Amino acid sequence: MASARIDTTTAGSRRLTPELAVTSTNGLIVVVALVVALLFPLLVDEALVGVGFVALLYAYRNFTWNIAGGFTGLLSLAHGAAFGVGAFSVAVLTWTHGYNAWLGLVAGVAAAALLGFGISLIMSRFGVVNPFFFALSTLAVTLILAGIAASWDVLGSANGLRYTGLESGFLHLQWFLDPLPFYYLTLVLLVIVTAGVAAMLRFTHFGRSLPFIREDPVMAASMGIRVVRNQAYVMALSMGLTAIAGTLLAQYIQFASYDSVLTVEIAVAMVVGTIIGGSGTLAGPIVAGIGLAALEEFLRSFEVSSTNVSSYTQIMYGVLVILLLRFGTDGVIPLWNSGLRRVFSRLGTDRGGASRSQPPPAHTDDAGVLSSRAGGV
Amino acid sequence: MSSTTLQVLLSGVLQGLLYAIIGLGLYLVFSVMRVVNFAHGYLVLVGMYGVLRINPSGLGQYVLALLVVAVVAAALGYLIQRLLIEPGLDKGGHSQLVITLSLGIIFQYGFQIWYPVPFGSIPNPWPWDAVQIGGATISVTRIAAGVVSILLMLAVSYLVYRTRAGKIMRGCSENLSGAVHVGVNVLRTYRLTFTLGAGLAAVAGGLLLPIQPVSPLLGVELTIKAFIVVVIGGSGALWGTAVAGVLLGTAEALGSLYAPASLATSFIYLLFFLIILVRPQGIVPGVRSA
C-alpha cells in the first residue's frame, strides 16, 4: 500500500492521472458488475440461477482462502477441511439432531476457526513458516478429517448424510433446491465479506500487518508485529468464513459426504482459483471463481461423461496455473491492471511520455494493485 | 506376541523401508534445493503405472521394468527441474510449491483418464512364495522390496557421503553461498539431485506395485507420507529418514490392526501433528546455517 503512495508522490502529480483513471475504471466495472449480479436471476431461467449460485459460491470460497493464502502468504490446504466442517456441522446439528440451521452455521464457523487457529499455532513450531511445510501439513489436516468422515457413522461414513426435514424459509436456511434465495444470500455475503476485508486491510493495524508478514515475516517480527498471533488469527478468520460456504452448499444440495464436501480437490480449487485470478488482490479470486464456474458449466454442455469432464478441467487448471507462474504473471487482475495503466498512461501523456510508463516490479505491483483495488472492489 | 501381531509388525517394517526410500528422494531434493516436490508421490505412481503397463512376467522382466521406469521417471524429473522448477528458484517458495502442486493434479487426473480401472496390480514376480518367521507368514514380495530398499539406501548413502558428487550435494545443502563461492555448479547439482530423487521414487513405486494395488489417489497419500518421513527424520542425516520411514510403516501397520484403513491413516497423520508439537526438528536435528 505504501508503495503506491510513494509511487505517486515521487513521480509527481502527472502520474496520478492514469492511476486515478485505472481506479475509476475499475470502480465503474464494480458498480456495473454489482448491478448485473443483482439483476441476473430475474433475467435468466432457474437452471442458470443455480449456476450463478455456484459461481458466487466459488468466488466467495476463493475470496476467503485469499485472506490467508493471498494476503498473508499462508498457502493452506486445510480450507478443504474448513469447507467440510461447515457442511458437516449443519448436516449433523440440523439434519440429524434438529437444531436450527443458523446454529449449525455458527457452530461450523466456530469449529473451522478453531481448527485454523490450532493448525497455525502447531505450524509455528517449525519457526518461520516454510510454505512447503505449511501446505503439506495443512493438506494432511484435510485428509485427516476426510478419513474420519469416511469411516464414522455420525458423519455419514460412505453413504453420506441427507436432509430429510420439511421446513423451509429463511429461518431454516432451506429452500429445497430453489437457487434464488441462495443466490442472493451468497451475493450479500460476498459483498459484506469483501467490503469488510478491504476495510480491514486498509484501516486496521492487524490488516496492514498481513502483507508485511507475507513479504518478510522475520522483518515483520523485528518491527514488533506479533507474527505468530496474527497468522493464527488470520487462519481462524479465513477458515471460519470458508465454513459458511460449506454450510450453504450442503443446504443447497441437501447432502454431505466425505467425498463431496470434504476433499482435497476443494482445497486445491480454492488455491488454483485464487492464483489464476491474482492472489493477494481483492477482485482476483472473485473474477476467477465466477470465470471457472462458467467454464465448467460450458465444458459440461459437451457430450462427455462427467468424470472425464472433471478430469480434463482439472488438468486444464493445472496447466493454466503452471503457465501463469512459469511466465511470471501474477494472474488475471494484476495483468488487467497493468494493461489498463499502460493504456491510460499512453492516452494521458501523448507528448512522448510513453516511455515513462515504467511498470513497477512484480511485488510492488502487488501492493499497488491492492490499494487501488481497495478503492474499487 | 501373537503371530498375527508379529506378521503385521514385520510387514509394517518392510513397508516402512519402502516409505524410507520414497522419503529419501524427497529428502535429497528438499535438503539440497529447499524445495518440497509436491508431485513426488506422483513420481512414485509413474513407477507403479509404468511397471503395470509393462506387465512383466518373471523376475528378469520385472528387474528390467524397474530399470525402465527408473530411467523414465529420472528423465521426467530432469525435465520438470529444467523447465518448471529452475526458472522460479529465485522467486521464493510459493511459485515452486504451486507449480509442483499443479503438476501433481495433472498427473493424478492424467492417470485417471489413462487408467480408468482402479486398483491394478501385478502378481508376485519373484520365484519364491512366502516365508515363515516364528509363525508369521510374510510374502516374498515384501521381503524382496525391503531388501532392495536397504540396498538402495546404502547406495545412496555411499553416493552422498563417499563420493565427490555427494560432497558437492552436501555442500549445497549446508551452505549455498559458500558452494557458489568455491565454484560449484549449483544448477547441475540441483538437476542431478532432482533426477536421482525422481528415479528413486519410481523404483520404490515398482517395488510397491506387487504389494499394493495402484490408484491415482495414492499419489497425494504418498506425497504426504514422504513428507512425514522427511520431517520426522530431521534434516541432519540420511539415517534419520530411514528410521522415520520404518516408524511410519510400523505405526500404520499397527493402526490397521485396530481401525479401518482410512481411519488408520487419519490416526497416523494426527500422530504426526503431535510429534511436530513435541519435536519439530525431527529425530536428527540439522546443523543449519541460515
Side-chain angles (χ1 to χ4, degrees):
Chain A
M1 242 168 259
S3 73
R5 236 167 263 153
I6 291 163
D7 226 355
T8 48
T9 46
T10 50
S13 54
R14 254 184 240 146
R15 269 195 53 80
L16 202 69
T17 328
E19 202 56 51
L20 203 70
V22 172
T23 315
S24 33
T25 311
N26 284 336
L28 192 67
I29 292 172
V30 169
V31 172
V32 172
L34 265 178
V35 171
V36 170
L38 278 172
L39 295 179
F40 174 77
L42 309 175
L43 304 175
V44 298
D45 61 72
E46 198 174 271
L48 268 181
V49 179
V51 176
F53 163 65
V54 171
L56 286 179
L57 198 77
Y58 280 9
Y60 172 76
R61 199 163 80 170
N62 292 348
F63 190 87
T64 60
W65 183 86
N66 192 33
I67 299 171
F71 294 121
T72 324
L74 296 169
L75 262 165
S76 156
L77 292 168
H79 282 67
F83 193 84
V85 165
F88 275 111
S89 160
V90 78
V92 172
L93 286 177
T94 306
W95 305 353
T96 315
H97 291 100
Y99 292 103
N100 185 280
W102 291 92
L103 186 76
L105 185 140
V106 172
V109 170
L114 206 63
L115 185 66
F117 192 76
I119 297 163
S120 187
L121 287 185
I122 294 179
M123 285 302 103
S124 69
R125 288 287 287 155
F126 282 132
V128 176
V129 166
N130 176 324
F132 294 106
F133 281 27
F134 196 85
L136 277 153
S137 307
T138 47
L139 174 61
V141 170
T142 299
L143 289 174
I144 288 174
L145 290 193
I148 292 174
S151 44
W152 193 20
D153 284 335
V154 172
L155 299 179
S157 58
N159 299 321
L161 297 168
R162 251 167 234 292
Y163 179 66
T164 49
L166 298 169
E167 296 97 344
S168 70
F170 187 71
L171 190 61
H172 301 284
L173 199 63
Q174 181 58 265
W175 292 275
F176 295 112
L177 291 173
D178 177 12
L180 196 72
F182 283 109
Y183 178 90
Y184 280 116
L185 199 62
T186 316
L187 186 62
V188 169
L189 187 68
L190 181 62
V191 169
I192 291 174
V193 169
T194 309
V197 167
M200 182 188 84
L201 289 170
R202 187 161 240 199
F203 300 119
T204 66
H205 184 266
F206 171 71
R208 282 195 299 256
S209 78
L210 300 181
F212 195 1
I213 292 175
R214 174 190 63 200
E215 294 305 327
D216 194 341
V218 177
M219 176 75 94
S222 72
M223 302 279 277
I225 291 171
R226 297 175 68 180
V227 173
V228 170
R229 189 199 66 177
N230 284 6
Q231 281 175 337
Y233 282 169
V234 88
M235 276 295 282
L237 174 70
S238 173
M239 282 179 60
L241 289 175
T242 306
I244 301 179
T247 307
L248 286 178
L249 187 74
Q251 285 289 84
Y252 177 62
I253 59 176
Q254 301 173 36
F255 177 70
S257 77
Y258 77 98
D259 56 357
S260 69
V261 294
L262 214 176
T263 63
V264 177
E265 275 80 7
I266 291 175
V268 171
M270 282 187 245
V271 179
V272 166
T274 308
I275 286 170
I276 290 177
S279 97
T281 65
L282 285 167
I286 299 172
V287 170
I290 294 171
L292 292 184
L295 192 66
E296 261 173 37
E297 192 56 29
F298 173 71
L299 289 172
R300 205 164 288 149
S301 62
F302 288 110
E303 295 281 321
V304 199
S305 74
S306 63
T307 50
N308 262 346
V309 167
S310 77
S311 296
Y312 281 115
T313 46
Q314 296 286 350
I315 290 177
M316 203 176 58
Y317 296 163
V319 172
L320 206 59
V321 169
I322 288 180
L323 286 178
L324 272 176
L325 287 171
R326 177 67 180 75
F327 293 105
T329 53
D330 293 324
V332 174
I333 291 298
L335 270 180
W336 163 260
N337 275 323
S338 63
L340 265 191
R341 209 166 292 142
R342 197 164 302 148
V343 166
F344 281 124
S345 57
R346 200 154 290 170
L347 283 179
T349 54
D350 273 338
R351 40 189 190 284
S355 60
R356 239 186 11 203
S357 64
Q358 41 105 28
H363 276 301
T364 25
D365 191 41
D366 215 18
V369 163
L370 203 149
S371 71
S372 69
R373 301 267 76 213
V377 171
Chain B
M1 192 187 289
S2 75
S3 62
T4 0
T5 321
L6 181 70
Q7 180 160 339
V8 167
L9 264 182
L10 281 175
S11 351
V13 169
L14 293 169
Q15 181 95 357
L17 287 169
L18 276 176
Y19 289 152
I21 282 293
I22 298 170
L24 197 61
L26 195 69
Y27 169 77
L28 286 177
V29 173
F30 173 65
S31 78
V32 173
M33 293 168 52
R34 293 281 172 284
V35 169
V36 177
N37 176 15
F38 233 96
H40 193 72
Y42 295 97
L43 289 170
V44 179
L45 285 198
V46 168
M48 295 181 88
Y49 276 112
V51 173
L52 186 67
R53 182 83 192 182
I54 296 169
N55 197 12
S57 56
L59 186 59
Q61 281 188 24
Y62 181 59
V63 173
L64 200 68
L66 284 183
L67 288 177
V68 169
V69 293
V71 170
V72 168
L76 205 59
Y78 182 79
L79 288 178
I80 292 171
Q81 166 68 15
R82 274 305 288 267
L83 301 178
L84 298 179
I85 296 186
E86 231 168 74
L89 270 179
D90 51 343
K91 282 193 208 139
H94 285 183
S95 135
Q96 295 114 38
L97 172 64
V98 179
I99 282 180
T100 52
L101 177 66
S102 311
L103 206 61
I105 299 172
I106 294 172
F107 270 122
Q108 169 164 342
Y109 290 98
F111 286 134
Q112 205 125 292
I113 292 169
W114 190 38
Y115 259 97
V117 185
F119 305 122
S121 189
I122 55 165
N124 175 12
W126 306 91
W128 311 283
D129 278 337
V131 179
Q132 298 275 338
I133 304 167
T137 315
I138 305 292
S139 77
V140 79
T141 48
R142 283 181 190 278
I143 294 174
V147 170
V148 177
S149 299
I150 291 175
L151 291 178
L152 277 174
M153 265 182 269
L154 290 175
V156 171
S157 358
Y158 180 81
L159 174 80
V160 171
Y161 292 114
R162 289 280 182 272
T163 65
R164 194 181 138 75
K167 197 179 240 175
I168 291 174
M169 279 162 74
R170 279 181 293 140
C172 287
S173 162
E174 273 161 30
N175 191 338
L176 184 61
S177 56
V180 173
H181 276 293
V182 297
V184 165
N185 187 340
V186 173
L187 282 185
R188 201 171 69 190
T189 313
Y190 283 0
R191 287 171 200 160
L192 172 75
T193 314
F194 205 94
T195 310
L196 181 66
L200 278 176
V203 173
L207 291 171
L208 191 60
L209 185 65
I211 302 169
Q212 190 170 4
V214 58
S215 84
L217 287 175
L218 205 57
V220 65
E221 205 181 306
L222 287 171
T223 301
I224 295 271
K225 282 178 179 162
F227 168 68
I228 289 177
V229 168
V230 169
V231 172
I232 306 278
S235 47
L238 281 185
W239 63 265
T241 310
V243 172
V246 172
L247 281 179
L248 174 65
T250 318
E252 191 185 43
L254 283 181
S256 69
L257 270 183
Y258 302 104
S262 61
L263 206 58
T265 315
S266 298
F267 162 75
I268 299 285
Y269 296 165
L270 267 178
L271 208 61
F272 166 65
F273 279 99
L274 286 182
I275 295 175
I276 294 179
L277 271 178
V278 182
R279 204 174 160 80
Q281 69 273 44
I283 298 173
V284 193
V287 211
R288 286 265 159 270
S289 47

